[in-house]
């Protein structure tokens, strides 16, 4: 694939993408609203550590308003709630034949991607590549895989080009005609691992016990049952295999939802567990464990805490509605 590439989101995963793509010899710019993070990338580049070896690359780094188009391929690694705003910020950079790939967690991002421009080809991707930003260095555990596909058959050329780009950057990529099963399998994985680790306040390895595995298994079964009821061939065995891999090979990993909680930011609970509960209702399937995890995470959301504190001050009632 030829042309300019932009990674929107300079967090751990976005930085890993930008670093590896730059190291592969491609022109790539990292876009974010965090000026301090962009300045750090401009001064020092991106460092990441894999298999005990530290690597380094120097991609471009800038805010969206300081870049001229066109950009031929966009990789969005923002949080799900930030995706619409991220797309609006780079609309002026889109070319007639741009490709937009969402790596955001959760469901139903394809319509949002199409708002980039009328001629944009939207692709959906999920990955189990782990990335943690620790003292300025990206820590990645194990190789992981990227699954990528388009919304219809007209996307095949864009899928093939994106696959070539990412494989050239040393990622393991599996292109798919229908990405929905992989998206739902990743949603099941995240609904189980991310939410439970966030509630526990511990890395995923903390859940490798009978009680933790019971919760993870129950959520996986609930989410897969919803996907299957919607006509999507998500596989429970695949979800459980990835859970096993995460617990054994990525035990020190703190999921992005837990990182958000630690930093006092809103989490992606609505795009993951919340969206699953909503879609379960449409097919009349009960998902009690997934719903319980959603409500437990919601209780401690910054917005809920602020609302509860306000109620306590103004009305003498610090209860929080979830």
């Amino acid at each position: 694939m030829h042309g300019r590439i932009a990674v929107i989101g300079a967090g751990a995963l976005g930085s890993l993408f930008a670093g590896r793509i730059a190291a592969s010899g491609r022109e790539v710019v990292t876009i974010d609203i965090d000026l301090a993070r962009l300045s750090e990338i401009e001064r020092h580049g991106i460092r990441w550590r894999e298999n005990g070896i530290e690597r380094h690359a120097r991609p471009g780094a800038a805010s969206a308003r300081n870049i001229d188009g066109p950009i031929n391929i966009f990789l969005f690694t923002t949080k799900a709630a930030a995706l619409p705003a991220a797309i609006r910020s780079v609309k002026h950079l889109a070319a007639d034949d741009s490709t937009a790939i969402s790596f955001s967690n959760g469901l139903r991002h394809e319509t949002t991607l199409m708002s980039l421009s009328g001629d944009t080809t939207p692709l959906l991707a999920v990955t189990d590549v782990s990335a943690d930003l620790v003292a300025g260095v990206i820590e990645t555990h194990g190789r992981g895989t990227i699954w990528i596909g388009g919304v219809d058959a007209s996307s095949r050329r864009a899928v093939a080009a994106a696959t070539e780009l990412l494989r050239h950057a040393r990622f393991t990529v599996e292109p798919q005609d229908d990405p929905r099963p992989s998206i739902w399998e990743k949603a099941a994985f995240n609904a189980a691992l991310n939410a439970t680790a966030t509630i526990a306040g511990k890395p995923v390895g903390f859940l490798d016990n009978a009680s933790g595995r019971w919760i993870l298994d129950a959520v996986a079964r609930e989410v897969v049952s919803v996907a299957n009821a919607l006509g999507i061939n998500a596989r429970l065995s695949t979800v459980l295999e990835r859970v096993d891999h995460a617990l054994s090979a990525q035990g020190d990993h703190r999921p992005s939802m837990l990182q958000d909680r630690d930093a006092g930011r809103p989490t992606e609970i609505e795009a993951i567990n919340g969206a699953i509960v909503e879609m379960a209702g449409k097919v009349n399937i009960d998902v009690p464990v997934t719903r319980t995890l959603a409500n437990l995470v919601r209780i401690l959301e910054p917005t809920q805490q602020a609302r509860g504190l306000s109620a306590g001050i103004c009305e003498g009632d610090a209860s929080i509605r979830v």
Side-chain angles (χ1 to χ4, degrees):
M1 173 183 284
H2 300 288
R4 299 175 67 205
I5 303 150
V7 177
I8 297 87
L13 185 62
S15 295
L16 181 63
F17 280 136
R20 280 193 176 181
I21 291 171
S24 75
R26 300 302 307 275
E27 181 184 359
V28 57
V29 60
T30 308
I31 298 174
D32 204 288
I33 59 173
D34 185 342
L35 299 182
R37 175 63 179 151
L38 294 177
S39 178
E40 181 180 356
I41 294 172
E42 284 184 317
R43 293 196 312 270
H44 305 296
I46 291 175
R47 293 181 296 153
W48 68 99
R49 187 178 295 112
E50 52 184 313
N51 301 321
I53 300 174
E54 186 169 307
R55 304 179 187 275
H56 178 264
R58 300 189 72 92
S63 59
R65 64 177 177 270
N66 293 326
I67 300 174
D68 294 326
I71 296 294
N72 301 96
I73 183 165
F74 297 86
L75 283 74
F76 290 93
T77 62
T78 63
K79 303 297 183 184
L83 182 59
I87 289 174
R88 288 194 297 271
S89 75
V90 297
K91 284 176 72 77
H92 64 291
L93 302 176
D96 291 339
D97 58 349
S98 290
T99 297
I101 309 172
S102 171
F103 285 87
S104 299
N105 287 328
L107 305 170
R108 302 177 297 195
H109 297 316
E110 57 270 27
T111 302
T112 308
L113 286 175
M114 293 176 72
S115 68
L116 182 61
S117 78
D119 297 321
T120 296
T121 301
L123 303 183
L124 299 174
V126 293
T127 182
D128 59 1
V129 173
S130 68
D132 297 296
L133 182 57
V134 181
V137 180
I138 309 301
E139 298 279 358
T140 182
H141 312 282
R143 289 190 58 83
T145 300
I146 295 169
W147 294 267
I148 188 169
V151 298
D152 54 42
S154 67
S155 305
R156 289 178 180 171
R157 184 174 179 179
V159 170
T163 298
E164 185 275 332
L165 166 71
L166 293 167
R167 284 178 174 168
H168 192 59
R170 300 189 307 106
F171 289 101
T172 300
V173 185
E174 291 189 13
Q176 300 179 314
D177 290 332
D178 181 4
R180 295 178 303 162
S182 292
I183 289 168
W184 273 85
E185 288 162 3
K186 178 64 181 296
F189 175 90
N190 283 339
L193 263 292
N194 289 18
T196 309
T198 298
I199 293 162
K202 299 287 186 179
V204 296
F206 184 78
L207 307 176
D208 191 9
N209 51 64
S211 297
R213 284 182 174 270
W214 186 94
I215 295 170
L216 303 180
D217 182 88
V219 174
R221 292 178 185 278
E222 289 178 358
V223 178
V224 169
S225 70
V226 175
N228 294 163
L230 290 167
I232 298 168
N233 188 31
R235 297 169 295 180
L236 177 63
S237 60
T238 299
V239 180
L240 295 180
E241 286 171 6
R242 291 178 189 165
V243 168
D244 281 338
H245 175 74
L247 296 180
S248 62
Q250 301 173 350
D252 293 334
H253 176 55
R254 299 178 72 84
S256 60
M257 188 178 292
L258 176 55
Q259 294 179 45
D260 287 338
R261 170 57 47 75
D262 289 344
R265 297 185 296 259
T267 70
E268 293 182 298
I269 194 65
E270 299 305 336
I272 304 174
N273 297 58
I276 292 164
V277 171
E278 178 185 341
M279 299 186 79
K282 295 180 179 180
V283 290
N284 297 313
I285 291 180
D286 190 24
V287 288
V289 184
T290 304
R291 183 189 300 272
T292 298
L293 294 184
N295 283 330
L296 286 170
V297 174
R298 286 168 176 153
I299 286 172
L300 295 177
E301 287 289 82
T303 53
Q304 292 283 13
Q305 288 293 289
R307 194 174 301 148
L309 179 60
S310 175
I313 294 172
C314 299
E315 302 170 13
D317 178 7
S319 63
I320 300 173
R321 294 180 182 178
V322 294

